[in-house]
């Protein structure tokens, strides 16, 4: 399958990996909303990924495919943020909104992947 996977499908796969990691972090945050001294987790991906792609497109790194394959989301801990006096750093409302937004983003990416694969199946069948 790797030989027929184009860069767009690989980018969508990496987006799903990021969204899955983000969902896991949000769920961890919500599960620990009452845990004293718990610091909220957050995930970054877009900024680093964008700069890596721009460097690859400008010829500063090997190639775009290698950049796509090596892209990873990073989980961080918000050390300096506290929402309450018990030093818990989780805002349950904010996390719930992010969880809903993340689910919509996952659905959008899954639909895009499904559409691309449907086109590929049609091309293979000669339709």
């Amino acid at each position: 399958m790797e030989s027929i996977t184009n860069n767009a499908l690989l980018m969508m796969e990496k987006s799903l990996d990021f969204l899955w990691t983000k969902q896991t972090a949000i769920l961890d945050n919500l599960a620990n909303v009452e845990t004293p001294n718990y610091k909220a987790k957050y995930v970054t991906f877009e900024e680093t990924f964008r700069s890596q792609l721009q460097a690859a497109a400008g010829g500063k790194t090997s190639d775009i495919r290698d950049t796509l394959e090596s892209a990873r989301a990073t989980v961080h801990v918000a050390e300096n943020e506290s929402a309450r006096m018990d030093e818990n750093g989780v805002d349950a409302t904010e996390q719930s909104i992010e969880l809903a937004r993340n689910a919509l983003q996952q659905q959008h990416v899954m639909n895009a992947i499904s559409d691309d694969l449907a086109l590929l199946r049609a091309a293979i069948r000669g339709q």
Side-chain angles (χ1 to χ4, degrees), residues 67-86:
T67 301
L68 290 172
E69 289 174 349
S70 66
R72 302 281 181 273
T74 305
V75 179
H76 305 275
V77 177
E79 295 291 341
N80 298 328
E81 295 180 20
S82 293
R84 302 190 319 238
M85 290 182 65
D86 68 356

Side-chain angles (χ1 to χ4, degrees), residues 15-27 43 46 95-109:
S15 292
L16 276 180
D17 288 345
F18 158 67
L19 292 168
W20 181 261
T21 303
K22 185 177 178 183
Q23 178 177 323
T24 302
I26 293 168
L27 291 172
V43 181
E46 292 101 341
Q95 294 298 306
S96 296
I97 291 168
E98 280 300 309
L99 186 62
R101 186 170 81 123
N102 197 64
L104 290 172
Q105 288 175 321
Q106 284 177 327
Q107 184 179 14
H108 176 73
V109 173

Side-chain angles (χ1 to χ4, degrees), residues 35-104:
T35 304
N37 297 315
Y38 180 82
K39 302 301 179 194
K41 296 176 187 174
Y42 66 96
V43 181
T44 59
F45 177 72
E46 292 101 341
E47 299 84 13
T48 304
F49 187 55
R50 183 179 303 115
S51 65
Q52 288 173 339
L53 281 176
Q54 288 171 343
K60 296 177 185 171
T61 61
S62 54
D63 76 349
I64 291 177
R65 182 78 177 189
D66 290 341
T67 301
L68 290 172
E69 289 174 349
S70 66
R72 302 281 181 273
T74 305
V75 179
H76 305 275
V77 177
E79 295 291 341
N80 298 328
E81 295 180 20
S82 293
R84 302 190 319 238
M85 290 182 65
D86 68 356
E87 297 298 316
N88 182 293
V90 178
D91 180 338
T93 303
E94 177 185 315
Q95 294 298 306
S96 296
I97 291 168
E98 280 300 309
L99 186 62
R101 186 170 81 123
N102 197 64
L104 290 172

